[in-house]
Amino acid sequence: MTGHADYCPIASAVEVLGDRWTPLLIRELMIGASGFNEIHRGVPRMSRSLLAERLRVLERRGLVVRHSAGPGKPVRYELTPAGNALTPIIWAMGHWAAEWAFGDPTDDDLDAISLLWRMHQHVLPEHLPRERTIVHVVLSGHGGGQGWLDMTPQATTVCHTDPGQEVQLAIQADNRQMHRWLIGLVPFGELVTEGDVRLFGPARLTRAFPTWFDTTFFDTGLRNADARRARESALVS
């Protein structure tokens, strides 16, 4: 640890969490990422060399432990008790931002593959069909692209290229609106009604699809923000 400006626990905490990347790395680890490539997919704008350096820093600070399974085997990363103790702080940062500093995605926020990765992280396994389901997602608009979700109750994977399996459900959607839905800003049914999403497949899958994902992480903050804006608008009018 380097010296801080004043003798205060908050100053010490800022040294640990006061950069752009550390809270995001803790976020990825606390929601289940453990391999280097998994972590990188959650923070794709971070270079791989910088990620490696920051993981080493987190190890030195006692927040992350590195597990090696032997030569040629992938390394796994895990939060230590000290790292796990940060998870409520990271969530609290997100809830604060949802209420006070968050809005619609900008063009710079829109990336189709990143959205698919987030969708896989938001999956509710107990809500998925029992049989393997391949979902082909085509996202249009700024930052658009396509990918496949290979979904079972045991695991969901994201494929950048056609996995060569029969597709059970196809989705064509506006990239920006899908970002808004997944974070909880707009209900899926509204996107369908407005023509921002089209689903192709058996009715049992098209109806169930939005229930496969948890979009409620930041509900309280987003609702509070809506209520505050409504009050402010009423005062102006």
Side-chain angles (χ1 to χ4, degrees):
M1 300 291 289
T2 58
H4 32 264
D6 57 280
Y7 183 64
C8 171
I10 294 175
S12 295
V14 169
E15 287 193 0
V16 175
L17 294 176
D19 67 84
R20 175 182 181 183
W21 298 113
T22 296
L24 299 182
L25 299 186
I26 300 294
R27 177 196 67 188
E28 293 306 307
L29 289 161
M30 75 188 195
I31 61 177
S34 60
F36 185 91
N37 290 334
E38 281 184 294
I39 298 168
H40 188 251
R41 291 181 80 174
V43 283
R45 296 183 185 181
M46 189 178 194
S47 72
R48 295 176 69 85
S49 59
L50 179 58
L51 173 57
E53 187 271 331
R54 290 303 172 88
L55 286 170
R56 287 193 293 269
V57 169
L58 293 181
E59 285 186 75
R60 289 198 299 270
R61 287 177 169 170
L63 302 178
V64 169
V65 62
R66 181 179 183 269
H67 299 287
S68 177
K73 300 291 182 66
V75 170
R76 315 299 291 180
Y77 296 89
E78 181 184 8
L79 290 172
T80 65
N84 272 310
L86 287 171
T87 61
I89 298 171
I90 301 301
W91 282 120
M93 291 169 65
H95 292 306
W96 173 85
E99 182 170 353
W100 297 100
F102 196 70
D104 285 331
T106 66
D107 286 353
D108 287 342
D109 296 324
L110 301 177
D111 179 80
I113 297 302
S114 291
L115 176 66
L116 286 165
W117 186 249
R118 290 281 170 248
M119 289 173 68
H120 127 276
Q121 291 177 320
H122 284 240
V123 164
L124 297 167
E126 67 275 14
H127 290 192
L128 294 178
R130 280 184 282 183
E131 67 277 7
R132 183 183 185 186
T133 305
I134 307 294
V135 183
H136 182 201
V137 182
V138 179
L139 299 168
S140 59
H142 193 92
Q146 67 175 332
W148 289 258
L149 296 172
D150 187 344
M151 312 183 78
T152 71
Q154 292 72 42
T156 293
T157 58
V158 180
C159 304
H160 297 178
T161 58
D162 190 340
Q165 303 291 328
E166 180 183 357
V167 171
Q168 285 76 42
L169 180 63
I171 298 172
Q172 296 176 359
D174 180 84
N175 190 26
R176 188 181 307 274
Q177 296 302 331
M178 286 290 282
H179 275 78
R180 296 182 71 236
W181 160 68
L182 190 63
I183 206 66
L185 287 171
V186 62
F188 194 82
E190 183 176 317
L191 301 188
V192 174
T193 300
E194 296 296 322
D196 293 314
V197 174
R198 300 170 65 197
L199 301 100
F200 305 91
R204 64 181 177 85
L205 297 182
T206 60
R207 287 195 300 265
F209 174 78
T211 71
W212 298 347
F213 306 89
D214 187 352
T215 62
T216 65
F217 289 173
F218 301 108
D219 261 6
T220 300
L222 294 173
R223 285 199 305 269
N224 289 345
D226 284 343
R228 186 184 71 255
R229 284 190 287 265
R231 291 193 300 270
E232 291 170 351
S233 179
L235 289 173
V236 170
S237 60

